[in-house]
């Protein structure tokens, strides 16, 4: 969707729907790249106005070599999962990446190789369009503000808007309120001057003026509305161990973006089970690290219905999760859930979630390989009106919400001091040169290192131990002779253990879980050390013998027969012993 949307013409607001139906999965190739290219071909061959086509490829990095559209097997050993969507003339439209902390130069090389291969797909679609002789429809109306009305709005409001945007004492709320006041006044005056005008024309006229003033400040005066220069970060503060009872917690604040991250451990059995299609595509059945991102209405000073996760929340949470996953140890004995709650937002809350999540994981004692930080880079461009080429541009470090709204790009990058772990690029332009992408990566790398230095002052490395209130996992050995007694008929004893160690919460949940690792080995998970102590006592009581019995070879004992079978008899030599079979061949030669 993010690769298709920027290429619709400006002012095109007609409902357009593209459906990509997954008809078959071969288990070898990922279908998502095929869906992007299929959507591009469908739009290019239709009469819908669209400035495509685009082409998309997946780029992997296997044994140091870049691989285009790797198979599922190749992806399992790839250090990079990069999706590149390109436009004609080697322009970049969209980037999406997860990386195993790879070096910047390797990442940049992969992007260049990916863009090169997208051009072959574009040429193929262009040839198809040429053969079919496609003619695009003439749109009834493109929704632009009339030039005369824009000029009038400029005369009425330019100086007032300029004064607000150059007053760095404003925060997000006061700036929005000031601009909204000017908007209402200007729109009333425009209605008097243009009584026949459509409501959207009046609203859009003001939007065009305020957007131009904002962008020209950056382009011509190198000024940002909060007073920073183009490469400066907002003020950052961090705090960890916010709540003693939680397994891990951190508060990360950058300007007016504030995120509270918490960490919860659970048993490996509680890992998320993938659906059939995801398993067929990725080969991953269980997911034992997850990040949940929550963006309540009050984060932007609004009220609204709190319902299930929307597309925005899912996307931001997935990006932050991808940023952190490469540093999580694969052999960690628990399922890890990071919850990121955005308490206040003014841009880049997903990257703040990566920073806060990294601190919370270290606070919880997860031995992450390195701390992770993320930042968003923005872009303001000046384009040639006739050709549409970019004449001039400015890159902005750590963008505000308004810089995202009025800007041309939201370039989010996360990683460690060493390399890159995640990238997501959203564009409002129909494409940008590779040169701008490379500069944005360089600018993001410098900002990322600066953020990590600030984070390290709060917590530089993972705590050596997990909190005492945290969960415990122990491995116990149960001989085959005692397995039936340990498990109980119909797993009665295990169910009883769970029932007796229920956590005291509004909704009672079993706290201790037991899972079998092999024939004689079991893993016992308990959410607290006290619950594990209860479990040890319970298991010891089940498995203990009534008396120590030393059997002497060759001696004669009295046995209790518990069951008669066709093949022999089940006997016990002492109380609490698991009955064993004495086969007919081992009985007296006389009929017994």
């Amino acid at each position: 969707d993010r690769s298709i949307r920027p290429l619709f013409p400006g002012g095109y607001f007609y409902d357009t729907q593209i459906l990509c139906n997954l008809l078959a999965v071969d288990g070898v190739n990922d279908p998502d790249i095929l869906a992007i290219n299929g959507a591009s071909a469908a739009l290019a061959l239709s009469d819908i106005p669209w400035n495509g086509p685009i082409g998309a490829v997946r780029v992997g990095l296997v044994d140091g070599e870049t691989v285009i559209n790797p198979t599922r097997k190749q992806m399992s050993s790839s250090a990079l999962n990069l999706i590149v969507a390109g436009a004609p003339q080697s322009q970049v439209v969209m980037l999406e990446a997860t990386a195993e902390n790879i070096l910047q130069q390797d990442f940049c090389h992969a992007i260049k190789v990916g863009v090169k291969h997208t051009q072959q797909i574009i040429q193929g679609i262009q040839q198809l369009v040429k053969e079919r002789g496609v003619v695009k429809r003439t749109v009834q109306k493109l929704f632009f503000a009339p030039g005369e009305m824009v000029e009038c709005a400029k005369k009425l409001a330019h100086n007032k808007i300029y004064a607000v945007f150059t007053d760095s004492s404003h925060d997000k709320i006061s700036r929005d309120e000031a601009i909204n006041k000017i908007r209402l006044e200007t729109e009333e005056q425009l209605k008097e001057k243009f009584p026949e005008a459509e409501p959207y024309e009046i609203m859009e006229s003001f939007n065009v003026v305020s957007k131009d003033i904002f962008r020209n400040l950056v382009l011509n005066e190198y000024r940002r509305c909060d007073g920073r220069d183009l490469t400066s970060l907002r003020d950052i503060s961090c705090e960890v161990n916010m709540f003693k009872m939680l397994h891990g917690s951190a508060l990360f604040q950058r300007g007016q973006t504030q995120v509270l991250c918490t960490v919860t451990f659970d048993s490996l059995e509680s890992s998320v089970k993938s659906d059939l299609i995801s398993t067929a595509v990725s080969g991953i059945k269980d997911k034992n690290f997850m990040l949940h991102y929550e963006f309540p209405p009050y984060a932007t000073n609004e009220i609204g219905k709190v319902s299930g996760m929307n597309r925005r929340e899912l996307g931001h949470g997935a990006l932050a999760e991808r940023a952190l996953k490469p540093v999580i140890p694969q052999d960690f004995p628990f399922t890890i859930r990071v919850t990121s709650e955005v308490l206040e937002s003014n841009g880049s809350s997903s990257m703040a979630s990566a920073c806060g999540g990294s601190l919370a994981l270290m606070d919880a004692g997860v031995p992450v390989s390195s701390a992770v930080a993320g930042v968003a880079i923005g872009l303001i461009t000046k384009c040639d009106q006739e050709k549409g080429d970019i004449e001039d541009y400015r890159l902005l470090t750590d963008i505000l919400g308004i810089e995202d709204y009025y800007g041309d790009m939201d370039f989010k990058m996360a990683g460690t001091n060493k390399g890159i772990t995640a990238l997501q690029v959203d564009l409002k332009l129909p494409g940008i040169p590779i040169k701008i992408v490379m500069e944005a990566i360089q600018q993001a790398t410098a900002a990322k290192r600066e953020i990590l230095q600030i984070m390290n002052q709060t917590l530089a490395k993972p705590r050596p131990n997990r909190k005492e209130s945290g969960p415990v996992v122990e491995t116990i050995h149960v001989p085959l002779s005692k397995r039936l007694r340990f498990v109980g008929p119909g797993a009665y004893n295990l169910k009883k253990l769970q029932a007796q160690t229920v956590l005291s919460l509004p909704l009672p949940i079993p706290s201790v879980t037991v899972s079998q690792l092999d024939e004689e080995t079991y893993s016992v998970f308990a959410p607290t050390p006290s619950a594990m102590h209860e479990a040890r006592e319970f298991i010891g009581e089940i498995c203990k013998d009534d008396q120590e019995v030393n059997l002497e070879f060759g001696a004669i004992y009295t046995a209790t027969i518990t069951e008669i079978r066709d093949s022999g008899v089940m006997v016990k030599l002492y109380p609490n012993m698991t009955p064993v079979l004495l086969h007919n061949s081992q009985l007296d030669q006389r009929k017994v």
Side-chain angles (χ1 to χ4, degrees), residues 539-558:
I539 293 168
E541 192 66 32
I542 294 172
C543 294
K544 81 170 184 180
D545 294 328
D546 284 351
Q547 57 195 27
E548 287 293 324
V549 177
N550 296 313
L551 300 177
E552 183 185 341
F553 183 77
I556 297 173
Y557 292 94
T558 301

Side-chain angles (χ1 to χ4, degrees), residues 17-28:
Q17 185 176 35
I18 303 170
L19 296 178
C20 299
N21 293 330
L22 192 59
L23 302 178
V25 180
D26 62 6
V28 177

Side-chain angles (χ1 to χ4, degrees), residues 247 263 265 289 327-329 332 334 336 338 358 360-369 461-466:
H247 300 159
V263 172
F265 298 132
F289 169 70
V327 302
I328 304 289
F332 196 67
F334 303 106
I336 306 170
V338 176
S358 174
L361 286 165
M362 292 196 292
D363 180 54
V366 178
V368 294
S369 57
K461 58 183 179 180
R463 298 195 190 280
N465 300 305
R466 294 190 296 274

Side-chain angles (χ1 to χ4, degrees), residues 1-9 18 43 50 54 93 311 426-430:
D1 175 65
R2 291 184 292 109
S3 57
I4 298 287
R5 198 186 322 129
L7 283 92
F8 282 98
I18 303 170
L43 271 170
W50 186 64
I54 63 161
V93 179
R311 191 176 68 163
D426 295 341
L427 283 172
K428 296 175 188 172
L429 299 172

Side-chain angles (χ1 to χ4, degrees), residues 166-404:
T166 53
D167 184 355
S168 59
S169 65
H170 279 298
D171 64 7
K172 179 183 184 296
I173 295 170
S174 63
R175 186 183 300 113
D176 288 349
E177 287 175 347
I179 291 293
N180 196 46
K181 184 180 178 182
I182 300 167
R183 173 193 295 278
L184 294 173
E185 291 172 358
T186 306
E187 287 179 356
E188 283 300 318
Q189 291 172 306
L190 287 173
K191 285 175 188 175
E192 291 175 7
K193 289 181 179 290
F194 302 94
E196 302 297 319
E198 297 280 348
Y200 83 86
E201 291 177 330
I202 290 173
M203 290 172 63
E204 189 59 21
S205 297
F206 183 86
N207 289 340
V208 169
V209 172
S210 57
K211 184 176 181 179
D212 284 348
I213 294 168
F214 188 90
R215 292 166 66 91
N216 287 331
L217 268 172
V218 175
L219 281 166
N220 302 329
E221 301 182 31
Y222 293 80
R223 294 176 69 175
R224 299 170 75 172
C225 61
D226 61 355
R228 285 181 293 155
D229 61 42
L230 303 189
T231 58
S232 290
L233 295 165
R234 289 172 284 174
D235 291 337
I236 294 173
S237 62
C238 315
E239 196 174 338
V240 294
N241 199 21
M242 307 286 295
F243 304 97
K244 306 298 180 187
M245 282 303 297
L246 297 181
H247 300 159
S249 57
L251 185 73
F252 181 86
Q253 177 135 12
R254 178 162 47 195
Q256 281 185 284
T257 296
Q258 186 184 68
V259 175
L260 173 66
C261 291
T262 57
V263 172
T264 308
F265 298 132
D266 205 340
S267 65
L268 290 173
E269 284 67 41
S270 63
S271 59
V272 174
K273 307 295 185 279
S274 298
D275 59 76
L276 291 173
I277 290 177
S278 300
T279 303
V281 170
S282 67
I284 299 171
K285 293 182 179 178
D286 295 345
K287 178 180 168 186
N288 63 352
F289 169 70
M290 63 204 83
L291 186 144
H292 290 157
Y293 171 96
E294 299 174 358
F295 196 95
Y298 59 74
T300 49
N301 200 38
E302 297 169 339
I303 59 169
K305 184 179 179 183
V306 180
S307 56
M309 281 193 177
N310 56 33
R311 191 176 68 163
R312 180 185 178 281
E313 286 182 272
L314 287 170
H316 282 197
L319 176 61
E321 182 177 293
R322 293 201 311 272
L324 293 170
K325 192 176 187 303
V327 302
I328 304 289
Q330 293 186 349
D331 57 351
F332 196 67
F334 303 106
T335 294
I336 306 170
R337 176 187 177 187
V338 176
T339 300
S340 171
E341 185 175 3
V342 182
L343 305 179
E344 182 183 20
S345 178
N346 187 14
S348 196
S349 55
S350 61
M351 292 296 91
S353 298
C355 299
S358 174
L359 287 167
L361 286 165
M362 292 196 292
D363 180 54
V366 178
V368 294
S369 57
S370 185
V372 172
V375 69
I377 304 294
L379 174 70
I380 304 288
T381 60
K382 182 181 180 183
C383 294
D384 184 293
Q385 294 296 327
E386 293 180 5
K387 297 179 181 178
D389 296 337
I390 296 174
E391 293 179 338
D392 198 8
Y393 64 91
R394 304 283 179 268
L395 288 166
L396 310 175
T397 295
D398 185 20
I399 54 174
L400 300 167
I402 193 170
E403 291 171 334
D404 181 11

